[in-house]
Amino acid sequence: MHRGSPPDEHTEVVHMKIGFIGAGKVGTSLGKLFAHHGVSVTGYYSRTPQHAEQAAAFTQSNCYSSLADILDASDTLFVTTPDGVIGRIWDDLAALPIKSKCICHCSGALPSAVFASAEKCGARVCSVHPLLAVSDRFSSWQQLEGAFFTLEGSGAPEMAELLHSCGAQTATIAAADKARYHLAACVVSNLAVGLSHWGMQLLEQCGFTAEQAQTALTPLILGNAQAVCSKGPRDALTGPAERGDVETIRSHMACLSREDQALYALLTRKLCDLAQQKHPDRDDTALRTYLEGLL
Ligand SMILES: NC(=O)c1ccc[n+]([C@@H]2O[C@H](COP(=O)([O-])OP(=O)(O)OC[C@H]3O[C@@H](n4cnc5c(N)ncnc54)[C@H](OP(=O)(O)O)[C@@H]3O)[C@@H](O)[C@H]2O)c1
């Protein structure tokens, strides 16, 4: 992975003419970010013309009624449709004059090679993935400024320059690592949501209402996230796995179904590895042996 550094405050405006196919959350937000930093946004083409009009008004750009028109007006195109549509849009774009254009998408899972045979067409390509949940078309763009973008493909150098000029950080990865990269994002976001849900369900089994469970666990969830982000996972780790407290973990297992015991044991084994880094002189054999017996 190559890491790019953001610019200082004197960074010059990047001269590109950027169009968006797909006026949804990411397309509208990225367009606003670029326009805010003085980069020329040509406008939007989208499935629902009204959405293209709204995004164009928000970014003071134009809306287009065909792929050919937005391509003609732009030297760089972002395909910000759902992942499953990107390949079909590419099939249509590849039949148009795209020589010397840079074609990007924002999927975390797909590589830039979804733009098949782009080199033969004389186009540069890039996957430009923001490591951020972009939840709103009109208010999320400000968070993109401090976001981290991961780039992959022949257009990565120019995308890095563009994003640095907008205050974002970037890293480049190899196409072969995209699935593993996207998995990392899912582990810390989606799986963490699943674990929070699991904890809330357990509190509900103790008589909490769903609302009480969420309120009660909020300081733990936020405190952990803050500690992990400021100190790193090893120093943020607390709890029975860190202390090697087998009896406490045994009492937890008594509350769980067979399937959930296996899940808890697997996750706790990961915590044992972390605890071992934190306390290399501690003998955790008893805990590891107990966990193995549950798997
Ligand atoms: N949202 C996130 O948190 C996030 C984060 C990182 C990466 N991404 C990636 O960003 C991309 C866009 O995601 P999103 O969340 O912005 O999705 P979204 O809000 O659902 O927006 C998708 C847009 O694509 C348009 N569209 C669908 N089919 C089309 C077609 N055939 N032709 C033209 N436009 C079409 C839709 O059109 P209309 O609205 O006009 O009907 C919609 O505006 C995806 O690749 C996703 O993986 C998303």
Side-chain angles (χ1 to χ4, degrees):
M1 184 182 88
H2 300 287
R3 187 149 174 195
S5 41
D8 61 27
E9 61 196 19
H10 304 299
T11 302
E12 285 183 16
V13 170
V14 168
H15 295 287
M16 284 181 189
K17 292 186 289 179
I18 303 177
F20 291 88
I21 298 165
K25 295 182 283 298
V26 168
T28 307
S29 305
L30 265 184
K32 184 69 175 177
L33 176 78
F34 295 154
H36 179 73
H37 285 272
V39 180
S40 173
V41 173
T42 54
Y44 289 82
Y45 167 84
S46 203
R47 181 181 53 190
T48 310
Q50 198 193 354
H51 293 168
E53 281 164 26
Q54 289 165 348
F58 186 58
T59 55
Q60 293 176 304
S61 63
N62 305 302
C63 59
Y64 297 90
S65 54
S66 75
L67 285 179
D69 286 348
I70 194 168
L71 180 69
D72 189 43
S74 315
D75 53 36
T76 302
L77 279 180
F78 277 77
V79 183
T80 46
T81 61
D83 289 11
V85 181
I86 295 170
R88 272 187 276 144
I89 298 282
W90 169 247
D91 290 342
D92 294 339
L93 282 176
L96 296 168
I98 57 165
K99 190 161 185 261
S100 304
K101 309 268 182 184
C102 184
I103 316 290
C104 307
H105 68 68
C106 293
S107 166
L110 294 174
S112 62
V114 69
F115 300 131
S117 306
E119 276 170 27
K120 278 192 206 147
C121 307
R124 300 175 307 289
V125 293
C126 195
S127 74
V128 180
H129 180 246
L131 273 165
L132 195 75
V134 182
S135 57
D136 187 84
R137 289 173 74 208
F138 302 113
S139 65
S140 292
W141 71 273
Q142 286 169 339
Q143 292 167 294
L144 282 173
E145 216 162 27
F148 203 106
F149 287 76
T150 307
L151 312 174
E152 176 275 313
S154 55
E158 62 205 89
M159 284 302 119
E161 191 186 354
L162 166 69
L163 290 162
H164 295 167
S165 79
C166 297
Q169 298 184 64
T170 64
T172 55
I173 59 168
D177 288 332
K178 275 227 73 169
R180 192 182 301 273
Y181 159 80
H182 191 241
L183 168 65
C186 289
V187 166
V188 300
S189 59
N190 312 141
L191 294 190
V193 170
L195 287 177
S196 291
H197 179 59
W198 189 12
M200 288 177 200
Q201 283 179 319
L202 288 165
L203 278 197
E204 284 180 54
Q205 290 165 19
C206 300
F208 285 58
T209 65
E211 202 179 17
Q212 282 174 329
Q214 189 170 325
T215 304
L217 291 176
T218 292
L220 266 181
I221 294 168
L222 294 182
N224 251 328
Q226 254 165 356
V228 167
C229 294
S230 61
K231 300 194 264 193
R234 191 192 65 179
D235 291 333
L237 183 64
T238 61
E242 193 229 345
R243 295 189 294 269
D245 201 342
V246 187
E247 287 317 308
T248 300
I249 291 174
R250 203 186 288 276
S251 73
H252 294 169
M253 291 297 179
C255 305
L256 295 171
S257 67
R258 190 72 196 90
E259 189 181 86
D260 284 351
Q261 283 180 349
L263 177 58
Y264 187 48
L266 281 168
L267 289 170
T268 304
R269 200 165 62 177
K270 287 225 175 278
L271 297 184
C272 285
D273 296 341
L274 204 55
Q276 191 71 53
Q277 286 176 27
K278 193 169 177 178
H279 308 291
D281 299 332
R282 271 193 204 162
D283 180 4
D284 62 1
T285 311
L287 178 53
R288 285 184 187 274
T289 307
Y290 171 63
L291 295 173
E292 289 308 320
L294 293 163
L295 295 172

